[in-house]
Amino acid sequence: MDRFTDNIDKQIEFNQGKNILFNNLEIFEFTNDTVKAISKTDRLHVNSKQFLIDYATDKAIEEFCRVNQYYSFDSKAKNDLRKIYADLLESFQTKTDSIENISKNHYEKLKKWIKESNPFAEKIYKNDLRKVNPVACSEYSPDLQIHVLKIDIEHVMQPVLDVGCGNQGHLVRYLKNRGIDVFGLDRCKFTTPNLITADWLEYDYGKEKWGTIISHLGFSNHFNHHHLREDGNYIAYAKTYMNILNSLKVGGHFHYAPDLPFIEKYLDNNQFYMKNSGINHDDFKMTIIKKIK
Ligand SMILES: C[S@@+](CC[C@H](N)C(=O)[O-])C[C@H]1O[C@@H](n2cnc3c(N)ncnc32)[C@H](O)[C@@H]1O
């Protein structure tokens, strides 16, 4: 199985950074190794084939998110992509078409899928070059995040949830090592028990469950992006924002950066106390919301 997964990794690497919305999809190709490997998959058990379809789906989504962190893929988009990879496997096995046609059809389907699941992509990449420049998306040191989010480690109310904790979960690991009951949530694939793989718009935060919720350049950054985007999913973000606040225990806090002035002004002052501050005297601001009842 490792041989097949290595091959998927290499195939994705081969097409890395190419612009799927570029007019000429001939820039996308299957490597000879991919063609050889897929032709052998008919010998595999149905469960192994499903495993490879899921693996290719996850890897492709990871690559899209690496290029642009604002791509978002809900359960429907993921299932549609699985179907595209299942069809690809099927066309290789039935061998009723040439490799060139299989390749052309496959990349046409991928292009249609990204246009449907993330319509904003067409606007920004349609007239772009063969290669796209990735949108900056980094992970930051625990010290920097603690400073920006103004977290008082000695008195932090537990349990803690870091929303969009990053692939490395730096802050989660740091807090865990300090004996704090902490969980991280991100769409990355994790195998560590206190790091949860989930979409923050689909996760069930619960009610009066968390002592502290934190999110550094995560949820609120994307909420801002959707607020400003013409076709933004800001309603889903606003609902999740309220779900997050309602999942705090009374006396609990939500610390996030950047701030969200366009929604913070509508919060019920009887239920939430809000403090907004600048970081290092520039325009970048963070917010702490305390649930008071
Ligand atoms: C700029 S990184 C910040 C990571 C971390 N908070 C830090 O400061 O080091 C943003 C993170 O948000 C995650 N993310 C983006 N959209 C998400 C979604 N819909 N659900 C869960 N996580 C998401 C990304 O995977 C990425 O790890």
Side-chain angles (χ1 to χ4, degrees):
M1 195 51 68
D2 286 355
R3 208 161 31 97
F4 290 110
T5 54
D6 278 358
N7 206 273
I8 292 172
D9 292 348
K10 284 191 188 131
Q11 175 63 50
I12 287 183
E13 200 180 311
F14 182 73
N15 282 329
Q16 201 165 56
K18 291 181 190 169
N19 183 5
I20 191 86
L21 293 147
F22 187 64
N23 281 340
N24 187 353
L25 279 180
E26 279 170 20
I27 58 170
F28 284 88
E29 282 172 309
F30 294 132
T31 65
N32 289 337
D33 286 346
T34 301
V35 176
K36 268 192 227 148
I38 307 190
S39 336
K40 287 181 191 148
T41 51
D42 50 356
R43 297 180 208 151
L44 291 175
H45 186 268
V46 63
N47 291 347
S48 307
K49 284 185 196 168
Q50 193 52 52
F51 172 83
L52 289 180
I53 291 167
D54 289 345
Y55 186 84
T57 304
D58 289 345
K59 284 285 158 181
I61 285 183
E62 212 175 89
E63 172 58 12
F64 276 105
C65 293
R66 185 193 67 80
V67 169
N68 189 329
Q69 63 163 316
Y70 299 109
Y71 275 132
S72 89
F73 303 102
D74 58 13
S75 306
K76 180 184 178 307
K78 284 182 194 157
N79 284 335
D80 291 347
L81 185 57
R82 265 188 209 106
K83 170 90 178 58
I84 293 175
Y85 283 111
D87 288 352
L88 177 63
L89 209 58
E90 174 85 18
S91 3
F92 265 102
Q93 286 171 3
T94 52
K95 299 188 177 95
T96 46
D97 215 344
S98 66
I99 300 294
E100 290 71 27
N101 281 344
I102 295 176
S103 164
K104 190 169 170 292
N105 286 338
H106 175 66
Y107 289 110
E108 283 293 350
K109 281 185 193 170
L110 272 186
K111 182 173 181 171
K112 184 166 173 278
W113 169 78
I114 197 75
K115 278 161 74 171
E116 280 170 7
S117 58
N118 285 270
F120 79 99
E122 197 174 6
K123 286 188 198 140
I124 56 174
Y125 296 128
K126 196 172 65 177
N127 299 319
D128 217 341
L129 305 168
R130 285 163 174 256
K131 287 253 180 185
V132 286
N133 284 327
V135 171
C137 179
S138 296
E139 296 193 25
Y140 300 85
S141 71
D143 283 350
L144 182 135
Q145 296 191 56
I146 288 167
H147 168 71
V148 170
L149 296 176
K150 301 188 192 302
I151 302 167
D152 178 357
I153 303 281
E154 301 305 322
H155 302 106
V156 71
M157 193 169 170
Q158 302 179 41
V160 177
L161 177 67
D162 183 353
V163 179
C165 62
N167 198 14
Q168 304 299 321
H170 291 306
L171 185 51
V172 177
R173 288 173 208 278
Y174 177 88
L175 296 175
K176 184 99 194 143
N177 288 339
R178 304 282 297 248
I180 291 169
D181 184 17
V182 57
F183 295 81
L185 181 159
D186 204 288
R187 61 183 169 188
C188 315
K189 288 271 167 223
F190 294 119
T191 46
T192 319
N194 64 326
L195 295 176
I196 305 158
T197 301
D199 189 302
W200 55 41
L201 293 179
E202 294 179 348
Y203 182 67
D204 179 3
Y205 294 88
K207 288 264 180 282
E208 308 212 348
K209 177 173 174 182
W210 303 100
T212 308
I213 300 184
I214 54 188
S215 192
H216 176 254
L217 287 182
F219 179 81
S220 61
N221 187 34
H222 284 240
F223 191 176
N224 256 314
H225 169 85
H226 281 268
H227 169 64
L228 295 172
R229 208 169 83 194
E230 222 171 72
D231 63 344
N233 194 9
Y234 46 83
I235 295 180
Y237 271 84
K239 283 185 183 160
T240 302
Y241 179 73
M242 288 318 297
N243 288 342
I244 291 177
L245 290 176
N246 288 324
S247 75
L248 288 171
K249 294 177 185 175
V250 173
H253 296 85
F254 182 21
H255 299 235
Y256 55 87
D259 63 340
L260 297 168
F262 57 88
I263 189 159
E264 288 162 356
K265 64 181 175 197
Y266 296 115
L267 283 178
D268 175 1
N269 296 332
N270 293 317
Q271 205 190 357
F272 299 106
Y273 170 76
M274 189 196 86
K275 196 162 175 252
N276 188 249
S277 359
I279 315 284
N280 300 338
H281 311 292
D282 62 20
D283 283 346
F284 183 64
K285 290 194 171 141
M286 62 80 61
T287 297
I288 304 177
I289 295 186
K290 179 175 183 181
K291 186 169 172 189
I292 46 184
K293 72 172 186 193

